[in-house]
Amino acid sequence: MEPSTPASPVEPPLRTRTSFLRTLGPGLITGAADDDPSGIATYSQVGAQFGYSLAWTIPFSFPLLAVTQGISAGIGAVTGQGIAQNLRRHYSPWVLRFAVLLLLIANTINLGADLSAMGAALELLVGGSHHLYAVVFALTCVFLEIFISYNRYVNVLKWLTLSLLAYVAVVLSVNVPWSKALYDLLVPQITFDSDHAMALIAILGTSISPYLFFWQAGEEVEEQHRRHRLRLSANSHAAGPELARIRGDTLFGMGFSHLVAMFIIIATAATLNANGITQIETSSQAAEALRPIAGDFAFAVFAIGIIGTGLLAVPVLAGSAAYAVAEMFRWPEGLDRRPREAKAFYATIAAATLGGVTLTFVGLDPIRALYWSAVINGILAAPLMAIMMAIAMNPRIMGRLTLPRWMVFGGSLATLVMALASIGFFVL
């Protein structure tokens, strides 16, 4: 018998890396979906209009988003129920109805803006009708979300997160004055006027969006069903490792999301703003404006990234709406269920997606769509975050797994910032 081959010294790190990648799921997908085509348009407009001067908002908003998503994920994992279901069980019915109604309005507008941007991006690349492409993208997303098994579908969404690397490639292909960019990234420049107030609420409303709360909480419940685990409040001995997994997944996902947002601002500041282009209405317009300045490669990569992020974000937007509606009416819910087991849940996904694509045929103004989506998200975010804090700090709901002090501080600060940004938007 031949002697056994000694273990390679690289095997443990490889196993560790593989194990870490397997833990990534709801947090990674949620973070990547945060950079949807509407978000790309917002970051592009900020970079084009203000150059690098608002880049500081990205590292500023990262911990606020990370702690907020950590709280929403924790609520789902500890209670075994989504945000809407916890609202229904523990708060006045009008609070739930108000939150779900605003979520549906914001998500439908967001879906319309995203599908329109995806269609326009494909039209830029290959010609044809962006209306037709928007319909095809909508039907494709609905089909995949309804008829593909949960495990396979989550893996598809994970791979789609790689499309965000397109914006890293764009930055690497253009000339960036890094000393200026890094200075503005690290040193805040605060100006009190209506333009900067609108930009700030747009960035915060795009980053800290209520649909992300509903989605990640719902996905943590899905993960428990998939792995046949009890909710953490009924399985406290498993809480430590599971909450650590959630923290790692959420920090990685939100960090990836904000890194890409930073690259989009830098790319558009270095190209569009530097060449006097200060008004961008859509993400596809940002891609088109890059072509004469940065070349066909940057243009094509930017446009392809819009399509990839849209394919990731549209299911999250529609799915978060479906979770909220199903939990409000006590319908069977979950992407791990077969269509015949959760007909109303999947019908809501289809209705939200097709409702969004309908907006592309009624003269949807991209700027107004983004404007109202950001406003509604900003209005809804602060009170909903306050309610989530109340849930997560309530021992009757969370048992012994209420928020630790550092998350109470972080969540309270994030809620206060969103409230002040919303007030500043209306006052300035």
Side-chain angles (χ1 to χ4, degrees):
M1 180 182 295
E2 293 184 359
S4 59
T5 304
S8 168
V10 300
E11 285 183 357
L14 284 174
R15 277 200 298 269
T16 301
R17 192 180 307 128
T18 301
S19 176
F20 172 71
L21 291 175
R22 286 178 178 173
T23 65
L24 299 178
L28 174 63
I29 294 168
T30 304
D34 200 14
D35 291 326
D36 66 334
S38 295
I40 293 166
T42 299
Y43 299 132
S44 298
Q45 174 58 35
V46 168
Q49 184 174 358
F50 300 101
Y52 307 101
S53 64
L54 285 180
W56 64 269
T57 58
I58 300 303
F60 171 76
S61 61
F62 164 64
L64 305 180
L65 174 62
V67 73
T68 301
Q69 289 303 131
I71 291 169
S72 65
I75 289 172
V78 171
T79 67
Q81 298 172 337
I83 301 294
Q85 198 165 354
N86 275 291
L87 287 176
R88 178 177 55 77
R89 289 190 61 190
H90 302 289
Y91 295 90
S92 171
W94 72 264
V95 174
L96 172 62
R97 292 167 190 155
F98 176 75
V100 172
L101 177 62
L102 284 185
L103 180 74
L104 286 173
I105 294 171
N107 281 19
T108 302
I109 294 172
N110 225 336
L111 281 163
D114 284 357
L115 289 164
S116 179
M118 294 161 67
L122 188 56
E123 182 182 27
L124 288 176
L125 290 171
V126 300
S129 168
H130 73 274
H131 288 305
L132 174 61
Y133 296 146
V135 172
V136 171
F137 284 133
L139 293 176
T140 299
C141 290
V142 169
F143 177 85
L144 292 174
E145 205 160 2
I146 294 177
F147 295 106
I148 301 298
S149 69
Y150 174 74
N151 289 344
R152 187 175 299 175
Y153 190 62
V154 167
N155 286 329
V156 169
L157 294 181
K158 283 185 182 180
W159 281 107
L160 281 173
T161 61
L162 296 177
S163 62
L164 292 176
L165 296 177
Y167 303 106
V168 180
V170 171
V171 169
L172 296 178
S173 69
V174 299
N175 184 29
V176 177
W178 283 107
S179 58
K180 169 66 173 170
L182 291 175
Y183 178 84
D184 287 349
L185 183 70
L186 299 175
V187 180
Q189 301 179 41
I190 302 175
T191 304
F192 295 97
D193 61 31
S194 59
D195 287 343
H196 284 79
M198 180 176 179
L200 181 60
I201 191 62
I203 291 171
L204 291 176
T206 296
S207 299
I208 307 175
S209 298
Y211 77 87
L212 301 176
F213 312 160
F214 285 86
W215 170 265
Q216 191 166 355
E219 286 302 283
E220 288 298 341
V221 177
E222 296 271 12
E223 285 294 304
Q224 289 179 342
H225 293 165
R226 181 179 68 84
R227 293 184 292 166
H228 306 291
R229 301 280 180 86
L230 297 172
R231 65 183 187 278
L232 296 185
S233 59
N235 188 24
S236 57
H237 69 277
E242 191 64 10
L243 291 175
R245 176 196 66 78
I246 290 172
R247 282 194 297 271
D249 182 26
T250 301
L251 284 171
F252 186 89
M254 304 311 138
F256 184 42
S257 166
H258 272 55
L259 185 66
V260 170
M262 179 191 73
F263 275 109
I264 294 171
I265 291 176
I266 290 175
T268 50
T271 53
L272 307 184
N273 179 267
N275 286 271
I277 300 173
T278 59
Q279 291 299 318
I280 295 296
E281 294 187 356
T282 66
S283 50
S284 56
Q285 186 184 8
E288 190 171 25
L290 280 174
R291 195 202 307 247
I293 299 168
D296 288 339
F297 172 77
F299 153 75
V301 170
F302 202 97
I304 290 170
I306 292 168
I307 296 170
T309 57
L311 289 171
L312 174 65
V314 166
V316 173
L317 283 159
S320 64
Y323 281 122
V325 173
E327 289 166 8
M328 182 171 68
F329 290 110
R330 304 186 185 186
W331 294 337
E333 55 163 310
L335 295 173
D336 61 333
R337 294 180 183 269
R338 295 179 179 179
R340 64 174 179 271
E341 297 172 337
K343 294 178 182 178
F345 172 78
Y346 286 114
T348 305
I349 288 176
T353 306
L354 298 179
V357 79
T358 300
L359 294 180
T360 66
F361 290 92
V362 295
L364 177 70
D365 184 321
I367 279 290
R368 292 189 68 81
L370 290 173
Y371 173 88
W372 285 111
S373 179
V375 169
I376 293 171
N377 280 328
I379 291 172
L380 179 58
L384 186 57
M385 290 162 69
I387 293 171
M388 288 199 322
M389 290 293 296
I391 293 173
M393 294 168 60
N394 190 334
R396 291 192 301 106
I397 302 173
M398 303 287 285
R400 295 189 295 110
L401 300 175
T402 54
L403 285 183
R405 288 183 181 178
W406 70 270
M407 289 192 79
V408 171
F409 174 79
S412 300
L413 178 61
T415 304
L416 178 62
V417 168
M418 285 302 296
L420 291 176
S422 299
I423 293 170
F425 173 78
F426 288 108
V427 170
L428 294 176

